[in-house]
Amino acid sequence: MTASAGGATPAIGRLSSIHRRTLRGLVGDWPRTTRPLPWALAGFMAMLWLLPFDSIDLPLGLPLEAKLDRPVLMLIVALWVLSLTILDGAQRVRFTPIHYAFVGFVLIAILSLVYNAETTVRLGEMELGVRKLALLISYLTLFVVVASGVRPGEVRAFMTFMCGLAVITALAVIWEYRWEYNVFFSWTHSILPVTIPAELGNSDSIGRRSIIGPTIHPLAPAMMMACAMPYALISMYESREMRRKIIWGAAAGIMFAAALATQRKTSIVAPVAATAVLLAYRPKLLRQLIPGLIGLFIIAHIFTPGALGGVGNQLLPQNMFGVASTVDRQSDYSAIEPDVINRPLLGRGYETYDQKKYRILDNQFLTTIIGTGIIGILSYIAIFIAIFLIAHRVARNGKSDRVGAALAIAAATAAMLVGSGLLDILALPQLPYLVCFFAGFAAVLSRELDAETVRRPARYAKPAPVGPGGPVAATR
């Protein structure tokens, strides 16, 4: 029996139940999908929060450095290429201002190395610059994959997943603060070859014990918590059920307590910067934050007794500028002045300033300007401005279920930009990888917004005049 063209049974109706489930898995949004790329990205995100990957040296013959993130990222790129060419059909990468800013910074980094090649080779610093450049290209690669491989409907799920990982990490950091036991390095050491960081178990010049979590420096977990907190706070604000408000508020409190456990001033400065951005967009959030702050302080005191008072004392005027760590930071400006004056535009070569050999700067702005000059520092700042402006645009014009994620991205970006003046962001790979995730999510949300802008004029366009032979062009 043959069916007419108009009454043909749809092809999907002839599929078996197994095939229908497979098809739904392929077309669904993460985590309700069998598409391998978003699951691989989720695994990479879990690695950032739960594994000391930058301290793991794999016995592989990879060029430059065989850290754990390199082969994992190579696998993700392979899945990305497969998804673009086979699973989803051939697609092109849609460029956004973030892409242009990121690519521009990479090109400036390359140009600075080439321009100063003769000097850096003579000083034996070219290899350091090339290694750092390879890592920078890894950051760009992850951003491009996230920006084109994640769907707009998956961004909120990824942000929620990130907060769950942040809470797990925060609890482990608090455990390290209370009982001086780092679960990340202890457990990983029994499985993979891990190099124990010099910071682990030591104290700095003013007696602060180093709480590092899965990283190599206390400033890294402090900044990671500051970047995850905004989404927990905005989710608390948007939730209608009291139970969900309590859950999200508790998550934010645990993150804040973990940040304080690092006993660094950044643990207060960065969250305050992020919260200020949220309040600028949602002033009514302040009404929930006032009682919430009481809960935050209670949670911080219970989980990390003494940490809040210790960090607060460091922020007092008499202690803020008199301690050794602050004095060292102030002296950094005059120390790098000759290098900046001698090479003002392109610097001495991207990341060729060996801080172990010269001096620790603890300031990404200083590290960038000495390596890539004024052009490089402006390009670096442009990346964060592009992310913030795109997130701002989505927060103002996007769908209601996308606004919260966009606000959290804008707040995390502001915190990271402020943090760039307090620590060397690019020296702690967890942080730039997180920036790449946030940048990719912002690009994904803007892609959906651009599609809505294109469809809207077409929906309300007047029909073209119709003549005897069909549509005719309107004339003036």
Side-chain angles (χ1 to χ4, degrees):
M1 182 177 65
T2 59
S4 61
T9 303
I12 191 170
R14 297 194 295 267
L15 294 175
S16 66
S17 59
I18 297 178
H19 290 157
R20 283 197 296 270
R21 285 197 299 271
T22 302
L23 182 60
R24 281 195 297 268
L26 288 174
V27 300
D29 288 343
W30 186 85
R32 298 178 180 85
T33 183
T34 56
R35 290 165 31 240
L37 181 58
W39 283 106
L41 290 172
F44 193 88
M45 182 181 286
M47 181 192 71
L48 298 183
W49 288 92
L50 303 179
L51 285 177
F53 66 91
D54 53 333
S55 298
I56 298 175
D57 292 300
L58 298 176
L60 301 175
L62 296 178
L64 301 178
E65 292 180 307
K67 301 295 185 181
L68 180 61
D69 56 315
R70 312 302 166 81
V72 175
L73 187 58
M74 291 169 61
L75 175 62
I76 290 176
V77 171
L79 291 175
W80 175 63
V81 173
L82 179 67
S83 67
L84 291 182
T85 57
I86 298 178
L87 297 181
D88 295 333
Q91 298 182 12
R92 63 183 180 86
V93 176
R94 296 178 177 87
F95 269 63
T96 66
I98 306 176
H99 288 80
Y100 292 114
F102 215 139
V103 172
F105 183 62
V106 172
L107 292 177
I108 291 170
I110 296 173
L111 183 60
S112 69
L113 286 175
V114 173
Y115 183 76
N116 296 283
E118 182 179 351
T119 302
T120 53
V121 169
R122 187 174 66 252
L123 295 175
E125 296 169 345
M126 174 60 80
E127 183 182 354
L128 175 62
V130 172
R131 288 205 313 268
K132 295 291 187 178
L133 178 62
L135 191 55
L136 180 63
I137 294 175
S138 298
Y139 300 148
L140 173 62
T141 302
L142 177 64
F143 159 66
V144 172
V145 171
V146 174
S148 60
V150 174
R151 297 174 179 175
E154 296 172 337
V155 171
R156 197 173 186 93
F158 269 105
M159 298 283 283
T160 303
F161 179 62
M162 179 194 67
C163 277
L165 295 171
V167 170
I168 296 173
T169 303
L171 292 173
V173 168
I174 292 169
W175 186 277
E176 182 182 358
Y177 174 82
R178 295 292 299 271
W179 287 279
E180 301 186 19
Y181 179 77
N182 187 300
V183 298
F184 302 102
F185 284 91
S186 297
W187 293 358
T188 306
H189 183 69
S190 61
I191 303 173
L192 296 170
V194 178
T195 302
I196 303 300
E199 291 282 345
L200 184 59
N202 291 329
S203 301
D204 64 4
S205 58
I206 60 175
R208 297 177 298 185
R209 189 159 48 87
S210 294
I211 307 298
I212 63 175
T215 70
I216 61 173
H217 197 278
L219 288 171
M223 279 302 307
M224 292 169 73
M225 298 303 158
C227 290
M229 274 184 61
Y231 185 73
L233 291 174
I234 200 66
S235 297
M236 179 188 71
Y237 172 77
E238 292 180 342
S239 298
R240 296 291 178 260
E241 300 178 11
M242 183 56 65
R243 180 179 63 86
R244 295 183 63 84
K245 284 184 178 293
I246 293 174
I247 292 174
W248 282 113
I254 291 172
M255 294 178 206
F256 183 59
L260 290 175
T262 64
Q263 304 174 77
R264 296 307 192 266
K265 296 184 285 292
T266 304
S267 63
I268 288 183
V269 176
V272 166
T275 305
V277 172
L278 292 182
L279 291 176
Y281 284 95
R282 294 290 183 269
K284 293 182 180 179
L285 176 63
L286 184 61
R287 290 188 299 183
Q288 297 186 22
L289 280 183
I290 291 176
L293 284 175
I294 300 175
L296 285 177
F297 291 142
I298 293 175
I299 292 175
H301 180 70
I302 293 174
F303 282 95
T304 55
L308 181 60
V311 178
N313 287 333
Q314 295 177 47
L315 294 174
L316 294 176
Q318 62 268 28
N319 298 328
M320 184 74 173
F321 303 102
V323 297
S325 60
T326 304
V327 173
D328 289 341
R329 289 175 183 272
Q330 293 171 344
S331 64
D332 290 340
Y333 294 91
S334 57
I336 70 167
E337 184 177 351
D339 285 289
V340 175
I341 293 177
N342 290 335
R343 303 176 181 87
L345 295 181
L346 286 174
R348 70 197 309 274
Y350 175 74
E351 293 288 339
T352 57
Y353 185 84
D354 190 349
Q355 299 191 31
K356 296 179 180 179
K357 178 180 177 182
Y358 299 109
R359 65 184 293 129
I360 303 296
L361 296 178
D362 281 334
N363 187 319
Q364 186 59 55
F365 295 135
L366 297 185
T367 303
T368 303
I369 197 169
I370 197 174
T372 56
I374 297 174
I375 299 176
I377 190 66
L378 293 177
S379 180
Y380 174 80
I381 296 174
I383 296 175
F384 293 91
I385 293 176
I387 299 171
F388 185 90
L389 291 179
I390 286 183
H392 165 81
R393 181 167 171 256
V394 176
R396 290 299 189 189
N397 305 298
K399 296 180 180 179
S400 57
D401 60 337
R402 311 287 199 257
V403 170
L407 289 177
I409 292 170
T413 303
M416 197 68 77
L417 187 59
V418 171
S420 295
L422 303 173
L423 66 148
D424 193 346
I425 296 288
L426 295 180
L428 306 169
Q430 288 87 355
L431 303 183
Y433 275 132
L434 280 180
V435 172
C436 293
F437 270 109
F438 289 132
F441 294 155
V444 169
L445 295 176
S446 72
R447 187 176 69 215
E448 182 186 51
L449 194 62
D450 292 338
E452 285 291 327
T453 305
V454 170
R455 285 196 296 266
R456 195 174 296 119
R459 187 182 306 163
Y460 297 104
K462 294 182 179 180
V466 179
V472 296
T475 58
R476 293 186 179 182

